[in-house]
């Protein structure tokens, strides 16, 4: 019988933005595939770590970490590496969204979105890759981009978010090439509209328009992203790096 090429056993996975939404659900599935789990979030998430450890029988810890602060990121990666024994995988997922017309957007609003969604992804990827190289390890990173990196959403205005996510897609390709000689792979996922805390509070008439525009006629769930992340983080995808997997119920192809 062949080995399970999707297994994440004996790996430790860091998930940023893992307190809720996509990060929390995907963290549970990574644990189900055998990985020990490290949650990074702005908010305290020991409840999530305990829940995952109990349900899946893996080790799980959480750290308060602001992905926009490179020193905090480097410190927490070092601390998690030492307390977990090692780190192997990264789901670089924390992000925020701002619905505001570009003409009304202030410099600080613009900068905040770019800082979390693009700079934060870079700081965490950089610190994680430095950790792997310093510890003579290979490893594997999945960044959360968005279909908004390749299309312009309507009716809401979200230029800062769209630009940040286009940046994540191309950052992923750029780092994939730079890190290939070091044995580190990096891919991105680009979800369409997914039901989470981020989208749940958006006005209902906009949500109705989105659902009407999606060929699947429904929003996706975080669970429907988990298989892609497991695939990209596992040995099922050892020849895949710099790719972007769009998971959007056909939204971007019509
Ligand atoms: P949520 O808002 O539900 O979760 C995002 C998590 O990231 C929260 O726990 C949040 O913490 C955390 N976070 C925010 N800022 C920081 C920071 N500076 N440092 C550390 N953690 C932070 O969002 P989703 O789960 O919906 O989204 C997850 C990712 O998926 C994001 O990158 C998003 O852009 C992307 N995405 C989402 C889609 C969707 O339709 N939901 C579609 C396409 C992409 P706190 O709440 O404490 O601020």
């Amino acid at each position: 019988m062949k080995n399970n090429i999707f297994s994440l056993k004996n790996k430790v996975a860091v998930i940023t933005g893992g307190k809720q939404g996509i990060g929390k659900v995907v963290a549970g599935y990574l644990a189900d595939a055998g990985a020990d789990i490290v949650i990074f979030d702005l908010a305290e998430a020991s409840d999530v770590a305990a829940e995952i450890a109990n349900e899946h029988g893996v080790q799980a810890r959480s750290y308060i970490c602001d992905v926009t602060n490179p020193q905090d990121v480097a410190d927490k990666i070092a601390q998690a590496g030492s307390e977990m024994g090692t780190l192997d995988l990264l789901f670089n997922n924390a992000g925020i969204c701002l619905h505001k017309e570009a003409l009304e957007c202030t410099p600080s609003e613009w900068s905040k979105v770019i800082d979390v969604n693009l700079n934060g992804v870079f700081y965490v990827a950089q610190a994680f890759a430095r950790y792997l190289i310093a510890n003579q390890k290979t490893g594997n990173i999945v960044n959360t981009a968005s279909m908004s990196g390749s299309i312009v959403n309507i009716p809401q205005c979200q230029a800062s978010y769209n630009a940040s996510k286009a940046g994540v897609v191309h950052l992923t390709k750029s780092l994939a090439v730079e890190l290939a000689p070091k044995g580190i792979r990096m891919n991105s996922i680009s979800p369409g509209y997914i039901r989470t805390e981020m989208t749940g509070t958006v006005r209902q008439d906009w949500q109705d328009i989105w659902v009407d525009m999606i060929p699947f006629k429904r929003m996706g769930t975080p669970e429907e992203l988990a298989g892609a992340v497991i695939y990209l983080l596992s040995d099922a995808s050892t020849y895949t790096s710099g790719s972007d997997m769009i998971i959007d119920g056909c939204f971007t192809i019509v």
Side-chain angles (χ1 to χ4, degrees):
M1 183 165 147
K2 289 201 188 307
N3 291 331
N4 176 4
I5 55 173
F6 295 97
S7 171
L8 301 180
K9 264 206 163 55
N10 302 320
K11 304 281 185 193
V12 181
V14 176
I15 298 97
T16 70
K19 166 126 181 115
Q20 65 178 39
I22 293 167
K24 178 181 173 183
V25 170
V26 169
Y29 277 85
L30 299 185
D32 192 54
D36 292 321
I37 299 297
V38 171
I39 305 274
F40 281 6
D41 203 283
L42 265 188
E44 221 282 311
S46 54
D47 54 336
V48 175
E51 195 181 308
I52 289 173
N54 284 341
E55 192 174 338
H56 301 283
V58 299
Q59 300 290 319
R61 287 175 185 265
S62 68
Y63 300 84
I64 294 176
C65 178
D66 181 352
V67 299
T68 68
N69 179 335
Q71 190 57 55
D72 190 28
V73 169
D75 290 348
K76 297 296 163 46
I77 285 187
Q79 190 184 348
S82 142
E83 289 175 358
M84 297 296 285
T86 189
L87 305 174
D88 306 278
L89 310 172
L90 169 63
F91 182 40
N92 201 0
N93 164 77
I96 59 172
C97 190
L98 173 70
H99 292 155
K100 192 153 188 187
E101 289 176 33
L103 297 181
E104 306 301 324
C105 197
T106 65
S108 74
E109 287 169 336
W110 170 269
S111 299
K112 179 154 190 215
V113 176
I114 301 297
D115 212 19
V116 178
N117 292 5
L118 180 56
N119 298 345
V121 164
F122 176 70
Y123 297 143
V124 180
Q126 182 191 49
F128 195 77
R130 284 175 171 165
Y131 166 86
L132 292 175
I133 292 162
N135 289 278
Q136 283 99 43
K137 290 173 66 86
T138 57
N140 193 352
I141 298 170
V142 173
N143 298 323
T144 304
S146 169
M147 69 170 179
S148 306
S150 50
I151 54 101
V152 175
N153 308 67
I154 54 169
Q156 74 278 21
C157 297
Q158 48 176 62
S160 55
Y161 183 86
N162 298 348
S164 73
K165 293 299 188 177
V168 171
V169 173
H170 207 57
L171 175 66
T172 302
K173 294 181 198 298
S174 307
L175 295 186
V177 172
E178 276 196 49
L179 295 173
K182 314 278 188 200
I184 300 171
R185 295 192 291 116
M186 182 183 290
N187 294 283
S188 56
I189 59 165
S190 278
Y193 289 112
I194 305 294
R195 282 215 180 280
T196 66
E197 289 82 346
M198 179 184 275
T199 49
T201 53
V202 173
R203 40 193 273 201
Q204 190 57 47
D205 57 330
W206 288 1
Q207 293 192 42
D208 294 344
I209 293 169
W210 301 345
V211 168
D212 196 48
M213 292 175 75
I214 302 168
F216 274 34
K217 295 298 167 205
R218 65 174 177 86
M219 289 170 68
T221 66
E223 287 78 2
E224 292 176 297
L225 305 174
V229 181
I230 290 172
Y231 165 68
L232 291 170
L233 287 180
S234 71
D235 285 348
S237 61
T238 46
Y239 200 54
T240 304
S241 196
S243 75
D244 179 54
M245 194 180 288
I246 298 179
I247 305 159
D248 66 351
C250 291
F251 190 100
T252 54
I253 56 173
V254 292

